[in-house]
Amino acid sequence: MPDMLPFLRLTERAEKGTRAALYLSVGLGTGLVSLLILATLLVSVALVAVAGAGLIVLPVHLSLVRRWADAERRRTGSFLGRVIPPRHRPLPAGFGARLRATLLDTVTLREVAWLVWQAVAGVALGLIGMVALVGVPSTLLQTALWWMAPDGEPATLALRPVSDWPSALLLGAVQFTVLSALLLWGARPLARLHATVAAALLGRSRVDRLAERVETLSHTRAGALDAHAAELRRIERDLHDGTQARLVALAMRLGLARSRIDEDPEQAARLLAEAQSGAEEAMTELRQVIRTIYPPVLSDRGLVGAVEALAARSVVPATVSVDDLGAVPASVEATAYHLVAEALTNVAKHAEASRAEISLSRIGGWLRIAVTDDGRGGVEEGSGTGVGGMRRRVAALDGEFTVVSPAGGPTRVEALLPCGS
Amino acid sequence: MRVVIVEDSAVLAEGLNLLLSTSGFEVVATVDQAAPFLKIVEEGGTDAAVVDIRLPPTFRDEGVQAALAARRLVPGLPVLVFSQYVEQVYARELLSDGRGGVGYLLKDRVSRVGDFIDALKRVAAGGTAIDPDVIGQLLVRRDSPLTRLTAREREVLEQMAQGLSNAEIAAKLVVTERAVHKHIGNIFAKLDLDPGDSGHRRVRAVLTYLDA
C-alpha cells in the first residue's frame, strides 16, 4: 500500500522524536542534579585548600561522581544503542592509594567536564525537550480552552494574546505547526548532539582505551595460549586413547581372522564381526572428537544455521531470534556456538526451565549472544555449572561476559564478542 | 537398477562402487560434484542416487542442495544422502517435498552392508531411510510429544522412521505383526495423527508433527 507509506514514516518519526524528547527531558533532571554535585564538589576542593578535612570528603565525593556518571553511561548508551563501557579500573585498597588513584585517573577529569556539560547543556536542551514533549497536547488544550482565561490576563498562543475564536484557531494552528516540527524534526538532532558529546566525555579516551587494551590483551593472550595448548592436549589424548587404540585393536582382529580363516572359519567370522563393530565405535568416537574441534554444522551452515540446529536438538524447548549479524570471524563463530551449546546444556541440567530463548545480534563491532531461561535462577559460578568455562572462552577472545541469575529466576547469560571492526 | 554415485573422496567412491556393483546395482556414473550429477539426472535413465553431503567446491552442504535440485528436475527421484554427521534440520529439508524416496544416513551405516543395501532399495522403491541418530535427536526434547510414548512404542516409531515395514519391524523387535500394528495405532493416536498411511508418509507425518 504505497499511500500508507508517508503516514507510516510520520508515525515512526513521531515515535523517534518522542523518544528523543523524553531523553532530553530526563536530562533536565540529571542536569540539575549534576549542577548540585558540581557545586558541592567545588566546596570539597575549597575545603582541601583551607583545611585537611576536605581530603576525607573529596574521595567520597568523587566516588559519587563515578556512580552518577555510570548511571548516565547506561542512559546515554541505551539511547544511542551502543555500549558505553564503564572505564574505571577497580580502586586499590588503602586510603592514600585510593585517593591517589582517583585523583590521577584522567577519567575523573573527563567526568568533571561531563558534569559541566550536563549542568549547562543538559538543562538548556532539557527545557527544549520538555517543550517538544508537552507542546503538542498542551497547544490543543490551550486552543480549545482559551476562553477560560481570566479577564485582563488573556491566554497567549504563539506568543500573542487571544481574544476570539478565529484568532485562537489561527494562532493555535501556528503554534501547533511549530511545536510539532520541533518534536518531529528538532528533538532528535538535539538529543543526538547531547548524547554524542556526553558519550565522548564518558567513554574512554584514546590513550585510556589503548592502555587498557594492552593490559587486557597481554592478560587474555596468555590465557588464550594456555587454553589453546590445553585444548590441543585434550584432542591428542582423545585421538590417542580412543580412536587410535580402537584402530589398533581392529587391525589385530583382522590379522587374526585372516590367519584363522582356514583352520577355524567360525572363529574368523566372529573376529570379523568384532572388527566391524570396533570400526563403528571408532567412527562414532571420531565424530564426537571432531564436533568438539570445530562443529561440522557450523562450517556447513554458518553461525545462524548451527545455532538453529542446536535449538532444534535442545532438551528444553528453545527459540532463536537473530538480527543482521554482518561478517563474523570464524573463531568468534566457534566460541559463540560453544557458548550457546554450553548454556543450553546448563539450562537442561540445572535450571528446571520450561523454555529458553537464544538471541544473536550485532552492536557495532560486537556480536552479542544472550541465552535466557525461565528457570529457578540462582546460578553461581564455580558450582560446576560450566559458567567458569564459558567465561574463559569469552575472555580468550577479549570479550565481555555476564550472568544475571537472581534466585527464583530468570537466568540470562550474555556475552559480547569483538568482531574486529 | 541404475545408480549414480556423487562422492568426492576417491577411496569412498571406489568402495561404494564395489559394494553396489557386487549387490546387483548398475553404477552408471561416479561424479564428485553437483553440476555433472544434475546433468546426468537431467539426461534421464537414473533410478537412484547416492550423494555425499560435503562436496567441492566449498565442502559445506552441497550434497543436500544437489539432492533437492535433482528432485526438482525429476520429482520423486530416489536419493540417499549420507554424511559423517547427521542433523535433524537436514532430514527435515530433504523430506519437505513430501514425496518419499529419501534416505539420510550416517556414513558409518555403509559398514553394515546388508542394512545399507536394504535402505537403498527401500529408498529406490519410494520409501524412506532416516538414520536412527536423527530420531534419537528428536527424542531428547522435553516438550516433544514423543514423551507420551512408551519405550516400546518409541522403538517401533524409530524403526518406522527408518522406513521398515510392519513385518520387518515385527521381525526386528521379535514380536508379532499384530502387536506392531497395535503399537502403531497407539502412536498415531497419541500423536494425533491420521492413521492408515504407510511407508514414507508415516515418517513425514512424524517429522512434520515434530517440526511444529
Side-chain angles (χ1 to χ4, degrees):
Chain A
M1 279 187 287
D3 50 336
M4 286 287 286
L5 220 58
F7 175 71
L8 280 177
R9 275 207 203 109
L10 212 59
T11 3
E12 199 189 318
R13 201 166 259 286
E15 247 177 67
K16 283 185 175 161
T18 308
R19 208 168 91 84
L22 256 175
Y23 170 77
L24 285 174
S25 306
V26 175
L28 176 61
T30 62
L32 290 174
V33 175
S34 299
L35 190 63
L36 197 68
I37 295 179
L38 206 56
T40 53
L41 195 64
L42 282 176
V43 174
S44 284
V45 174
L47 274 179
V48 176
V50 175
L55 280 179
I56 299 172
V57 187
L58 190 57
V60 178
H61 235 115
L62 287 176
S63 80
L64 180 73
V65 172
R66 280 186 166 206
R67 252 177 284 161
W68 181 239
D70 276 343
E72 184 67 14
R73 282 189 180 96
R74 278 192 295 278
R75 191 174 85 89
T76 298
S78 96
F79 175 72
L80 290 176
R82 63 185 159 102
V83 180
I84 304 176
R87 43 79 231 177
H88 295 286
R89 262 158 272 164
L91 287 175
F95 182 75
R98 185 172 279 248
L99 182 62
R100 205 169 325 121
T102 318
L103 286 178
L104 291 182
D105 199 341
T106 56
V107 183
T108 307
L109 269 180
R110 294 158 62 87
E111 273 172 0
V112 173
W114 165 75
L115 277 179
V116 175
W117 166 256
Q118 188 67 20
V120 177
V123 170
L125 293 173
L127 284 170
I128 298 179
M130 209 74 132
V131 170
L133 200 59
V134 297
V136 171
S138 87
T139 300
L140 294 177
L141 268 179
Q142 280 173 280
T143 308
L145 303 177
W146 67 272
W147 46 270
M148 283 178 73
D151 290 337
E153 219 183 295
T156 53
L157 277 166
L159 305 178
R160 262 160 242 269
V162 174
S163 51
D164 49 20
W165 272 109
S167 71
L169 289 177
L170 183 69
L171 292 174
V174 171
Q175 184 174 323
F176 180 84
T177 313
V178 171
L179 291 180
S180 343
L182 179 64
L183 182 67
L184 292 178
W185 284 278
R188 227 159 93 79
L190 288 177
R192 292 201 79 85
L193 168 74
H194 178 255
T196 313
V197 174
L201 289 171
L202 290 174
R204 284 174 263 211
S205 76
R206 233 177 111 71
V207 176
D208 266 356
R209 254 199 321 260
L210 287 177
E212 201 166 300
R213 198 157 160 69
V214 168
E215 197 173 302
T216 39
L217 274 183
S218 49
H219 189 74
T220 51
R221 191 179 135 79
L225 286 177
D226 279 353
H228 186 66
E231 191 66 5
L232 285 179
R233 268 200 303 281
R234 181 193 61 74
I235 294 166
E236 187 270 344
R237 213 169 38 238
D238 282 355
L239 290 178
H240 181 270
D241 298 350
T243 316
Q244 206 172 25
R246 281 188 195 286
L247 288 177
V248 171
L250 194 159
M252 195 188 70
R253 288 210 162 75
L254 287 175
L256 261 177
R258 202 173 149 208
S259 69
R260 285 294 174 136
I261 200 148
D262 293 327
E263 271 172 59
D264 189 350
E266 230 169 82
Q267 194 195 7
R270 206 167 50 244
L271 285 165
L272 282 174
E274 282 172 17
Q276 186 174 26
S277 26
E280 284 164 356
E281 280 163 24
M283 284 187 273
T284 306
E285 225 170 67
L286 199 52
R287 195 160 42 241
Q288 280 157 4
V289 176
I290 289 172
R291 208 179 265 282
T292 64
I293 300 173
Y294 195 82
V297 66
L298 193 53
S299 55
D300 288 3
R301 284 286 162 104
L303 182 58
V304 175
V307 166
E308 276 164 359
L310 275 179
R313 55 158 73 191
S314 163
V315 174
V316 173
T319 52
V320 184
S321 67
V322 184
D323 290 350
D324 184 16
L325 298 184
V328 179
S331 59
V332 173
E333 283 196 326
T335 299
Y337 176 88
H338 285 298
L339 275 181
V340 173
E342 274 163 53
L344 287 178
T345 309
N346 278 348
V347 172
K349 269 199 210 155
H350 308 290
E352 293 169 18
S354 65
R355 32 182 239 96
E357 231 178 84
I358 306 161
S359 96
L360 301 175
S361 53
R362 180 76 177 233
I363 308 176
W366 301 77
L367 174 70
R368 184 172 66 185
I369 304 120
V371 179
T372 314
D373 69 63
D374 62 351
R376 64 191 165 98
V379 170
E380 274 171 40
E381 223 161 306
S383 53
T385 49
V387 174
M390 286 196 259
R391 187 179 289 283
R392 274 192 296 281
R393 276 188 197 279
V394 174
L397 286 183
D398 207 17
E400 289 176 27
F401 181 77
T402 46
V403 178
V404 181
S405 182
T411 299
R412 180 180 171 87
V413 175
E414 187 178 310
L416 284 171
L417 300 176
C419 293
S421 62
Chain B
M1 196 180 310
R2 297 160 56 84
V3 181
V4 179
I5 297 172
V6 191
E7 168 62 65
D8 64 297
S9 148
V11 181
L12 208 50
E14 198 183 316
L16 274 175
N17 207 332
L18 176 74
L19 176 61
L20 294 184
S21 8
T22 52
S23 310
F25 293 91
E26 182 193 345
V27 178
V28 287
T30 305
V31 294
D32 65 354
Q33 289 206 30
F37 164 53
L38 293 179
K39 204 164 157 252
I40 294 169
V41 167
E42 210 169 8
E43 281 162 9
T46 305
D47 296 320
V50 178
V51 184
D52 189 0
I53 284 206
R54 284 196 174 172
L55 296 171
T58 66
F59 299 97
R60 292 162 86 105
D61 60 352
E62 282 89 349
V64 176
Q65 308 307 334
L68 294 174
R71 285 163 65 84
R72 277 194 295 274
L73 288 174
V74 180
L77 174 79
V79 178
L80 196 158
V81 174
F82 74 142
S83 163
Q84 295 287 15
Y85 73 104
V86 288
E87 287 289 344
Q88 67 180 71
V89 286
Y90 291 164
R92 202 183 288 156
E93 286 170 20
L94 289 167
L95 288 166
S96 62
D97 68 1
R99 286 179 175 274
V102 170
Y104 181 43
L105 295 178
L106 270 178
K107 277 189 181 166
D108 305 15
R109 313 296 174 205
V110 179
S111 74
R112 299 279 157 181
V113 177
D115 289 354
F116 182 73
I117 295 298
D118 283 350
L120 182 55
K121 281 182 181 156
R122 270 204 309 280
V123 170
T128 52
I130 302 302
D131 200 276
D133 265 26
V134 177
I135 313 297
Q137 286 179 21
L138 296 173
L139 287 172
V140 299
R141 290 202 67 138
R142 204 174 281 164
D143 67 332
S144 161
L146 298 186
T147 50
R148 287 180 226 149
L149 305 184
T150 64
R152 190 51 138 184
E153 283 160 4
R154 284 195 200 186
E155 273 177 352
V156 172
L157 179 65
E158 202 176 311
Q159 305 298 330
M160 210 164 90
Q162 287 172 52
L164 299 189
S165 68
N166 289 9
E168 285 167 319
I169 296 172
K172 201 147 186 174
L173 299 182
V174 202
V175 290
T176 63
E177 220 179 308
R178 267 178 67 100
V180 170
H181 192 75
K182 216 179 104 204
H183 285 313
I184 290 177
N186 288 342
I187 292 169
F188 278 129
K190 285 184 183 175
L191 299 183
D192 306 319
L193 291 174
D194 187 22
D197 276 339
S198 65
H200 70 272
R201 295 175 68 184
R202 314 196 286 194
V203 180
R204 187 162 62 92
V206 172
L207 284 171
T208 312
Y209 189 85
L210 290 164
D211 205 12

